[in-house]
Amino acid sequence: MSFAVQDLNLEEEDIIVAQSTNAADSRFDLITGTIEDIITEPKFQQIQSDFMDKNYRHFENSEENKLIYTTIHKEYINLVEKYLENELKKRISNFSMKEYMNDLLSRRDELDGEIFEILLTFEDFIEFKELMLSHKASKEGRGLDLSSCLCVQSISFGANSSRVAGKAKTPLLDKTDVDHMDSDQD
């Protein structure tokens, strides 16, 4: 795959534009860009959010997959894929969802990002289940847990700390004043 790169040399920042020289790659990129536009529009966001709000309670984070998951997945495909397909047919001539999905699956290892995760939820049940479980965790206040990334460290106000007018200076806080109360200051 070869690309023609053009530097626009704009005042505020440099933007590099890569243009594919392959017609199939160009069409794939055009469709993908249009899908990205569609899925960021408020109407699509609302359709997807309403669907997940209606169905997330059925999903459990376990190895077992209940029969209702399949039914919900099919409903999701019918709703979201049909909406995308109709919008794409309005915006791109001779668009075929089947052809695009085949192309998408053949490029699966090359692709990354939210748009591809959403598209893979149509064909990949596990991706769909993960989307629903993520939505469930968010709705139930069990979002991203950063507690394993936090470090709590005590600050010593002993002989190694300096005092300025009743306040302690500490190297850990980068010379930030910390109110200090000692029993001898009562």
Side-chain angles (χ1 to χ4, degrees):
M1 177 172 22
S2 64
F3 295 94
V5 178
Q6 178 181 7
D7 185 351
L8 299 177
N9 199 15
L10 299 175
E11 285 184 42
E12 291 185 21
E13 63 182 297
D14 290 336
I15 297 174
I16 304 290
V17 177
Q19 296 175 330
S20 173
T21 55
N22 178 320
D25 289 344
S26 293
R27 182 159 175 86
F28 181 82
D29 293 344
L30 170 69
I31 294 168
T32 303
T34 305
I35 291 171
E36 189 169 16
D37 292 343
I38 294 167
I39 67 172
T40 58
E41 292 171 355
K43 185 172 183 180
F44 178 85
Q45 295 290 317
Q46 191 63 50
I47 289 169
Q48 187 178 39
S49 179
D50 289 348
F51 180 86
M52 290 190 296
D53 285 347
K54 177 181 144 191
N55 294 291
Y56 76 88
R57 289 175 190 86
H58 297 287
F59 287 80
E60 295 174 6
N61 194 3
S62 69
E63 294 293 318
E64 180 185 343
N65 291 319
K66 299 177 182 179
L67 185 58
I68 193 168
Y69 297 177
T70 305
T71 304
I72 294 170
H73 186 227
K74 287 178 183 176
E75 288 175 23
Y76 177 79
I77 291 170
N78 286 332
L79 177 69
V80 177
E81 185 175 347
K82 296 297 181 206
Y83 177 78
L84 270 176
E85 186 172 17
N86 289 336
E87 288 297 311
L88 287 163
K89 285 181 178 180
K90 290 178 195 174
R91 301 176 192 198
I92 298 174
S93 63
N94 301 320
F95 174 76
S96 165
M97 183 62 93
K98 184 177 180 174
E99 287 176 20
Y100 180 75
M101 291 306 290
N102 287 336
D103 200 11
L104 177 72
L105 291 173
S106 72
R107 298 169 186 243
R108 184 179 193 156
D109 294 337
E110 308 167 27
L111 307 174
D112 189 25
E114 183 179 355
I115 184 172
F116 300 110
E117 289 175 17
I118 289 172
L119 293 172
L120 289 174
T121 62
F122 300 153
E123 298 294 323
D124 187 337
F125 171 76
I126 300 301
E127 288 285 335
F128 170 73
K129 182 179 176 184
E130 287 176 13
L131 173 72
M132 295 301 290
L133 289 172
S134 175
H135 188 74
K136 181 177 185 173
S138 174
K139 288 301 226 180
E140 295 178 349
R142 295 180 292 112
L144 184 60
D145 180 11
L146 298 177
S147 62
S148 65
C149 301
L150 299 176
C151 176
V152 178
Q153 184 172 359
S154 66
I155 301 173
S156 173
F157 294 108
N160 293 336
S161 65
S162 60
R163 291 184 190 278
V164 178
K167 297 190 177 216
K169 296 275 192 178
T170 63
L172 181 64
L173 297 176
D174 193 26
K175 300 180 183 177
T176 301
D177 286 335
V178 176
D179 288 332
H180 183 260
M181 297 181 73
D182 276 352
S183 58
D184 62 282
Q185 291 183 0
D186 292 322

